[in-house]
Amino acid sequence: KSGINAEYGRGFGKENGLRMPINDNSVIEESLGKYCITSFEDLIHEIFTVGPHFKQANNFLWHFMLSCGKGGLRKVNNHFVEGGDFGNRERFINNMVRNMN
């Protein structure tokens, strides 16, 4: 869910090698309409289900950067399971992404 919200807020797509903001579905339809991907929901569905046109849909999306977490990191030298901030968060990753968005 955090990934979808981040993509809604910071989503950019590639059109002819240029970074274009995804303001409405027309940008997606122009680039991916030939693969029957005409809306943002179709694009997200294609990526999450790894559909037949996953490669084209994934290549269309431009990577996005997350800002630093609000309040910073507490203990960067300790692993997450020891009360620190680095390491595998498993099911708590959404909390960290929401903090950084």
Side-chain angles (χ1 to χ4, degrees):
K1 180 154 175 135
S2 296
I4 295 171
N5 291 339
E7 207 48 59
Y8 271 122
R10 300 171 181 254
F12 286 90
K14 282 187 234 175
E15 189 172 340
N16 299 325
L18 299 174
R19 181 179 176 216
M20 302 291 290
I22 302 175
N23 294 332
D24 56 2
N25 291 333
S26 65
V27 176
I28 297 171
E29 189 171 3
E30 287 175 15
S31 296
L32 299 173
K34 58 188 166 199
Y35 304 113
C36 296
I37 301 173
T38 57
S39 67
F40 194 79
E41 288 74 23
D42 292 341
L43 179 64
I44 295 298
H45 180 266
E46 189 73 22
I47 289 174
F48 276 125
T49 59
V50 190
H53 301 294
F54 171 79
K55 183 176 180 180
Q56 291 83 4
N58 192 37
N59 193 30
F60 168 75
L61 287 177
W62 195 276
H63 60 275
F64 58 92
M65 305 275 293
L66 294 172
S67 60
C68 295
K70 296 175 187 152
L73 302 175
R74 296 182 317 252
K75 296 180 182 176
V76 294
N77 295 331
N78 290 352
H79 199 277
F80 182 71
V81 296
E82 297 170 349
D85 279 328
F86 83 88
N88 187 4
R89 294 174 178 262
E90 296 178 2
R91 65 182 185 272
F92 300 111
I93 191 69
N94 285 334
N95 296 337
M96 185 177 117
V97 171
R98 276 190 217 106
N99 192 22
M100 297 172 83
N101 210 358

